[in-house]
Amino acid sequence: MKEIFNDSCREVLINQLASGMPITLRVATSSMTPEINPGDFVTIAPQPEKDFSFGDILLIKQEKEWVIHRLISIKECNGELYATTIGDNAIYADPSIPAKNILGKVVHARRKNKDVSLSCKTPLTNIDNVLLLASLPFIKTPAIKDITNIFKHEDFIATADAECLAPLIHFYHRDLNGDTWHAMQDKYLKILSRNTVFLDSLQIIAQRLGTVKFILLKGAFLAFHLYPSYGLRQFSDIDILIKPSETPTVHEKLLQLGYNRITGSEQGGNIPNVSMYLNSALYRSSKPEMPHIHVHWHLANSITPKYKTTNINMEKIWHSAVTTSHKWLSLSPEHLMIHLCEHAIRHSFDRLILIRDIAEVMVSKQIDWNQLVDDCRNFGLTRHVYYSLVYLSRKTGITAPLEIIEKLRPVKPGICGRLFLKLATNGIRRPELCNLVYMESETNSLDRLKYIIKTFFPPKQVLAHAYGLRHIGPFTYGFRIIRSIIHITKTIINILLKIKTRKELTT
């Protein structure tokens, strides 16, 4: 909501707030609907600079405009506080502003001579916000302690652990005491110990691969190169990207190290074909201390046909790869961002660490945003990056340049994509929901129907590749259908429970 005044009017209103008296404004826009609608009158009370909470509806000064939006994060930088706000009906968060630009807090609203009930959409209704904010290094520590006290000790620890954010919360808020923080410390130390062993194993594997060039992907790369400690990013296996022609060599080298291929066994060590489905193989070591190795020969990788509308240029991926101080390469910052966004969408943000990874890249890497937009368009991945960046902005206030988000925004955003983003924003992040985004990528209803059929009935060779089986029969497809029905039912129940819980919390 924005109000337009001349300078003299603003000065009078600011003086009134400074004297401790409230002011009344008429809302002009719909950015806060349905909470506050155009034409509503709101009462603004004076607010001390440091006396505000997450979820408060604030009157702030943005350049030459006054805006009424909701507070979603408080940052501390060089001893100064910065606030980030967002409209309830906005696509992404506002640019951060100094806390001194907060003029007051909305304490009352009237609509057609009737009082409007103002809810405080704090983390009380969505723990996702709390966990993501608590995992960031620049969020004001006392505020984190205040909002985490809303939740039960056991629930907070269990959820942080499930979302893989417990180590980060401990690492960036070690000055806080209590049972919650000690439990986080234990989790961090366990992951640090495990990852150190895994990364030592990676050095051995890289040494054995010799001259084979590979790009380190996902969790292992993030733990080893991006986060400030090995113990901050949990990962279950080591993902490496190789060229298809190197597959036989890598296969033989891993066999010599005591690994066995447990998926795609029908292909053995032959040079594989690149498909719209699976483009990887998983290797397991006979030594329990050695991590699984997930070998990819293309960045597109799924058991369902999610990549029919994409065209990832692997030659460009390899040409832009960055040399590290070790025996492996890394994706360029732009391709790393695209890959993490695609991966997060494919898993429907089912673990918040996936979106936290994107935040870490944004704050620690120099990204050529125009190059990223060009590559997104050429690769057919604009929707994946757009929805990921919007979700990150809504949850944490960390926002890519607004002109870049607008360039990535679909020309005709469909109902499927909007529904996916709405569900995810409200904490419903079941893996199968990503199909909404992929169906939106299809051009017509017939293509969407084909996508659904291929999702339930992928080719036999794809299932054999995924499960490491030689024979695929009706039982396998029947099992997939039953499992899908169960997942869909759980998703619907989850949505209904979320709606019920929200109504209870706001009444």
Side-chain angles (χ1 to χ4, degrees):
M1 170 268 168
K2 298 179 180 179
E3 279 286 7
I4 302 176
F5 305 101
N6 57 38
D7 291 340
S8 59
C9 287
R10 284 198 180 96
E11 186 176 352
V12 170
L13 292 172
I14 289 175
N15 289 336
Q16 186 171 334
L17 286 170
S19 65
M21 298 178 62
I23 63 174
T24 299
L25 303 175
R26 186 174 184 272
V27 178
T29 67
S30 60
S31 67
M32 283 297 293
T33 57
E35 192 86 354
I36 301 174
N37 294 334
D40 291 353
F41 288 90
V42 293
T43 301
I44 315 294
Q47 191 77 355
E49 182 179 326
K50 297 184 179 181
D51 185 20
F52 38 70
S53 303
F54 294 95
D56 286 348
I57 302 175
L58 303 175
L59 173 65
I60 61 174
K61 181 171 63 176
Q62 283 187 352
E63 297 179 351
K64 295 183 178 181
E65 294 180 330
W66 283 11
V67 179
I68 293 178
H69 277 174
R70 195 180 299 277
L71 181 68
I72 59 173
S73 75
I74 307 167
K75 307 174 185 178
E76 190 168 2
C77 182
N78 297 326
E80 186 174 2
L81 292 181
Y82 288 83
T84 303
T85 57
I86 188 172
D88 289 358
N89 194 35
I91 296 176
Y92 38 74
D94 307 316
S96 293
I97 58 163
K100 62 186 179 182
N101 285 14
I102 297 176
L103 303 177
K105 174 184 175 180
V106 176
V107 294
H108 183 259
R110 288 186 65 81
R111 180 178 304 151
K112 296 180 179 179
N113 297 322
K114 293 183 180 180
D115 292 341
V116 175
S117 177
L118 297 177
S119 66
C120 185
K121 294 184 179 179
T122 65
L124 181 64
T125 59
N126 198 331
I127 195 173
D128 296 358
N129 299 64
V130 177
L131 294 171
L132 282 169
L133 290 171
S135 73
L136 293 166
F138 43 75
I139 299 298
K140 186 170 176 264
T141 298
I144 291 298
K145 187 174 182 179
D146 291 341
I147 59 178
T148 54
N149 286 338
I150 296 172
F151 304 96
K152 292 182 180 179
H153 166 74
E154 298 80 5
D155 292 344
F156 187 81
I157 294 175
T159 309
D161 191 13
E163 302 291 352
C164 302
L165 293 177
L168 283 157
I169 295 173
H170 157 72
F171 188 81
Y172 289 124
H173 303 285
R174 283 172 286 186
D175 56 322
L176 298 176
N177 297 314
D179 294 339
T180 300
W181 310 105
H182 293 155
M184 301 284 182
Q185 181 183 38
D186 292 341
K187 187 66 178 179
Y188 166 72
L189 293 175
K190 288 178 181 178
I191 293 176
L192 176 61
S193 176
R194 183 173 181 266
N195 283 3
T196 301
V197 173
F198 275 17
L199 293 170
D200 286 343
S201 301
L202 175 60
Q203 300 281 8
I204 297 172
I205 293 167
Q207 188 70 33
R208 180 58 63 93
L209 291 181
T211 59
V212 175
K213 290 184 177 181
F214 68 90
I215 298 175
L216 191 62
L217 301 174
K218 300 182 184 176
F221 170 80
L222 297 166
F224 204 62
H225 290 282
L226 200 65
Y227 286 105
S229 169
Y230 295 167
L232 298 182
R233 183 52 165 91
Q234 185 175 355
F235 57 94
S236 57
D237 50 33
I238 293 176
D239 294 85
I240 64 173
L241 176 67
I242 63 172
K243 295 181 179 179
S245 59
E246 297 282 13
T247 303
T249 302
V250 172
H251 179 74
E252 291 300 321
K253 297 287 187 182
L254 291 177
L255 290 180
Q256 293 170 13
L257 279 171
Y259 278 89
N260 292 311
R261 186 169 177 173
I262 60 175
T263 62
S265 56
E266 77 288 350
Q267 289 186 346
N270 299 329
I271 298 176
N273 295 319
V274 174
S275 73
M276 72 171 67
Y277 292 94
L278 288 173
N279 293 291
S280 67
L282 185 62
Y283 289 82
R284 179 185 295 162
S285 175
S286 56
K287 302 175 182 178
E289 70 275 9
M290 296 291 282
H292 296 354
I293 304 296
H294 203 175
V295 179
H296 301 253
W297 48 86
H298 197 281
L299 285 181
N301 188 63
S302 175
I303 199 171
T304 53
K306 296 179 173 25
Y307 301 100
K308 193 174 70 171
T309 57
T310 64
N311 183 30
I312 301 175
N313 187 339
M314 292 306 297
E315 289 186 5
K316 187 166 189 178
I317 295 291
W318 281 101
H319 179 74
S320 303
V322 179
T323 302
T324 69
S325 57
H326 301 276
K327 292 182 177 294
W328 52 78
L329 306 173
S330 72
L331 295 172
S332 68
E334 296 75 31
H335 293 158
L336 176 61
M337 175 66 79
I338 293 173
H339 177 52
L340 292 178
C341 289
E342 177 274 322
H343 186 243
I345 290 292
R346 177 154 41 96
H347 290 277
S348 304
F349 312 127
D350 62 347
R351 290 159 293 140
L352 290 177
I353 189 64
L354 300 179
I355 207 72
R356 180 61 179 82
D357 293 339
I358 298 172
E360 191 68 19
V361 174
M362 285 187 60
V363 300
S364 63
K365 292 284 188 181
Q366 291 292 327
I367 299 172
D368 185 336
W369 288 104
N370 290 319
Q371 182 64 54
L372 179 140
V373 171
D374 290 342
D375 288 343
C376 283
R377 290 172 176 170
N378 293 332
F379 295 171
L381 292 172
T382 52
R383 277 183 170 83
H384 304 70
V385 178
Y386 172 76
Y387 288 127
S388 295
L389 294 180
V390 168
Y391 182 77
L392 174 67
S393 178
R394 288 184 176 184
K395 289 294 181 182
T396 67
I398 298 175
T399 307
L402 300 186
E403 65 273 15
I404 298 300
I405 294 181
E406 288 302 318
K407 287 180 180 179
L408 292 169
R409 187 177 185 179
V411 177
K412 295 181 179 180
I415 188 173
C416 289
R418 295 198 301 270
L419 177 60
F420 168 80
L421 194 57
K422 184 176 181 62
L423 292 173
T425 303
N426 287 283
I428 301 169
R429 300 178 279 108
R430 296 194 63 84
E432 61 275 4
L433 289 175
C434 68
N435 291 297
L436 292 170
V437 177
Y438 294 103
M439 282 200 298
E440 184 180 89
S441 302
E442 303 296 342
T443 55
N444 55 60
S445 299
L446 181 59
D447 286 339
R448 294 188 185 99
L449 178 61
K450 290 179 180 178
Y451 173 82
I452 294 172
I453 293 173
K454 289 181 179 180
T455 297
F456 280 105
F457 303 100
K460 290 184 177 180
Q461 62 270 25
V462 174
L463 293 181
H465 185 136
Y467 302 138
L469 301 175
R470 292 183 178 274
H471 302 288
I472 300 295
F475 174 79
T476 308
Y477 286 105
F479 173 76
R480 283 179 56 79
I481 293 174
I482 292 173
R483 188 178 64 175
S484 298
I485 292 173
I486 292 173
H487 285 324
I488 293 171
T489 303
K490 287 182 177 179
T491 300
I492 294 173
I493 293 174
N494 195 7
I495 293 172
L496 295 176
L497 289 175
K498 288 279 185 180
I499 294 173
K500 181 181 178 182
T501 302
R502 173 166 292 182
K503 287 181 178 179
E504 291 175 350
L505 289 169
T506 55
T507 56

